[in-house]
Amino acid sequence: MSAQDPACQLLARQQDNYDALWVVGPPIDSWLVDRSAGVVSGDHDVLIEWATKGKQVRTPFDIATDDALGNGQDKDIVLFWPKAHQLGIWWLKWLCEQLPSGTPFDIVGAHLGGIKRVPQMLEELGLPWDKRDNARRCTLFASHTVALNSASGSSDTAWQTFETPGLTLVSHPGVFGHGKVDEGTLLMLESLESSLPKKPLKVLDMGCGDGIISAWLAQRGHLVTAVDVSAFAVEACKRTLTANGLEGRVLRSDVFSALEGEQFDWIVSNPPFHKERDISYGPSQRLISKAPEHLKTGGRLVIVANGFLPYPDHLQRAFQDFHILADNRRFKVYTAKQLSR
Ligand SMILES: C[S@@+](CC[C@H](N)C(=O)[O-])C[C@H]1O[C@@H](n2cnc3c(N)ncnc32)[C@H](O)[C@@H]1O
């Protein structure tokens, strides 16, 4: 199996230099999975791919596996530069905090993804750099960790707090919205204010992002479970709940994967329809088709979506009926009831 992703093809040219490859924030590429010993990622799909092949996996927030990177001396660590530069800077700081000063690591990325700007960012953080290779419209740099100075700030400074009416939101570069409250989410919350029962419900927030829906529901006394495929979103949602003095269960899950056999009174979601920059209806389709199994009899699914998305057809197939709770021309809020099983 040869590397398919261009950044992995560039790494493949250097593979004799890598004995124990630990990749940070990589794309899914079979060659890379086979070639590496472990992965650090916030992406559930990536973690599952590596775990399925028996490799070591961790998110940057797994305290229990904190020693996975060890002192880094016996590992060849490669950071894949993400499209969101602020997230890339966060990973650089995280590596500097996790590993002893002077631990070597490489950074690889595509020219289209902005890798050529990385040397400037490294210099601003006081990290050295050296260009190692360049091919497939990608570049590979070598660097090593340093003790960050106070001007650089810790990785924790990337967590930002935003005020919305009635709630404080905590977010991180790369988490949906990041400081902007989605117009569709707002429309859904407004329409729920009058339709949501006052008695405490067991509610699932599917694709929680920074946790705005979870916090809004928990603030109204409901028992919230929040899930998201991104470990950064899971951490953001936990921090949002804490910032508002609220409680909830927050899990990393690919749609319902962490919730086997569980049922809820309501499922509320602003479902994803993008993966990176591509349109992908897969998760939202799975959410709608599997929702009846995860709702108690009489339970409700409430979702918001751009008017052009094909959700009415999916809802009709899964629930045989649905209603429009709100419609502001750009967004529609749909609700469907689980009548029997
Ligand atoms: C449109 S955003 C909504 C975020 C937040 N609930 C809000 O209303 O602002 C969709 C969220 O779904 C998450 N997501 C994407 N694919 C998913 C999947 N397969 N399973 C669970 N969550 C997913 C994304 O990470 C993102 O946080």
Side-chain angles (χ1 to χ4, degrees), residues 52-179:
T52 307
K53 293 219 177 142
K55 309 292 176 157
Q56 294 187 64
V57 300
R58 66 167 292 189
T59 79
F61 310 109
D62 292 339
I63 293 151
T65 53
D66 212 20
D67 60 352
L69 283 180
N71 62 11
Q73 296 305 330
D74 53 349
K75 299 185 172 63
D76 301 305
I77 298 165
V78 179
L79 168 64
F80 283 74
W81 192 253
K83 290 199 178 94
H85 287 268
Q86 290 305 316
L87 184 57
I89 292 171
W90 183 86
W91 276 119
L92 290 174
K93 291 182 178 180
W94 183 84
L95 284 170
C96 288
E97 289 164 356
Q98 296 288 314
L99 299 165
S101 191
T103 309
F105 69 95
D106 290 350
I107 308 160
V108 68
H111 298 166
L112 267 179
I115 186 76
K116 287 184 171 170
R117 285 175 53 203
V118 168
Q120 188 193 334
M121 291 181 235
L122 290 166
E123 280 167 18
E124 280 166 13
L125 291 174
L127 275 79
W129 63 273
D130 190 21
K131 188 165 158 182
R132 286 188 59 174
D133 202 357
N134 183 12
R136 314 273 184 233
R137 297 189 181 164
C138 294
T139 299
L140 179 69
F141 294 107
S143 183
H144 65 68
T145 57
V146 299
L148 294 170
N149 62 35
S150 54
S152 305
S154 71
S155 64
D156 231 35
T157 55
W159 291 99
Q160 281 175 276
T161 296
F162 306 97
E163 297 300 328
T164 60
L167 283 175
T168 299
L169 303 178
V170 186
S171 193
H172 194 276
V175 173
F176 176 84
H178 193 53

Side-chain angles (χ1 to χ4, degrees), residues 44-45 174-177 180-182 184-186 188 205-214 227-230 233 253-256 268-275 282-284 286 304:
H44 183 83
D45 293 349
V175 173
F176 176 84
K180 290 192 297 290
V181 178
D182 185 71
T185 300
L186 271 189
M188 179 165 67
D205 172 8
M206 171 62 70
C208 59
D210 62 11
I212 179 169
I213 297 174
S214 293
V227 299
D228 203 289
V229 80
S230 150
S253 178
D254 176 11
V255 192
F256 292 109
V268 180
S269 182
N270 178 349
F273 66 94
H274 283 114
K275 174 100 184 156
S284 53
R286 276 186 283 143
V304 64

Side-chain angles (χ1 to χ4, degrees), residues 192-203:
L192 280 178
E193 192 77 81
S194 53
S195 54
L196 198 65
K198 297 282 176 271
K199 66 167 192 196
L201 299 174
K202 185 180 173 196
V203 187

Side-chain angles (χ1 to χ4, degrees), residues 324-336:
I324 294 177
L325 261 186
D327 179 352
N328 73 358
R329 287 169 188 261
R330 278 165 47 76
F331 292 94
K332 287 191 170 89
V333 181
Y334 302 97
T335 176

